[in-house]
Amino acid sequence: MDGTDLTGRLLVAAPALEDPHFRRTVVLVVVNRPSRLPVAEVLADWGGFASDPPVMFAGGPVGEGAGLALGVPGGAGEPPGWRPLESPPDGPPAPQGVGVVDLDAPPQILGVALGRFRVFAGYAGWGEGQLGAEIEEGAWYVLPALAEDVFSVDPETLWARVLRRQGGDLALVATLPDDPELN
């Protein structure tokens, strides 16, 4: 798995992955871990542009003091201060229309040009060869990403929804209870 570009793909935690930072997560950055902290309390000028739920999301356990913003333009063209996620040359496309938002750009210009906007604190990171080894051992499913995944209004159910839409065995995995001993 080393050397494979995972840009534009989701890493969906397998049920056996017990690390509390990644248990039942969906990772482009971690897109299904909303906090209770409103975006407006951290980035006052951007708070009014945040998609529902308008809170900071835990993007991962690395660099939690740093922010990453993703957005989808709401109109024609690419607004200044927005850069589309790039698809790898030999891989699946990045989620259609999703891009990185420059939080140093003026929100009164860029913010109004965005149809959807979300801010993540931190990111997911792995040491050299670590992610490839985890994928090989079955800790992660590598699946196509959709823009709706990044901006889900119900992030708590995203893990199961992404698995269900794959069909087959993964749809069955989506039905496993959070605590297998309750089954």
Side-chain angles (χ1 to χ4, degrees), residues 46 49 69-85 97-103 105-117:
W46 287 97
F49 302 106
L70 298 175
V72 173
E78 297 178 3
W82 178 88
R83 181 177 41 86
L85 291 178
V98 177
V100 177
V101 175
D102 179 359
L103 292 173
Q108 55 276 42
I109 296 171
L110 179 56
V112 297
L114 296 173
R116 293 186 270 180
F117 172 73

Side-chain angles (χ1 to χ4, degrees), residues 1 11 26 60-61 63 67 83 90 103 107 113 115 136 142 148 157 177 181:
M1 191 72 221
L11 296 173
V26 179
R83 181 177 41 86
D90 296 325
L103 292 173
E136 292 295 324
V142 180
E148 294 79 38
T157 65
E181 292 182 10

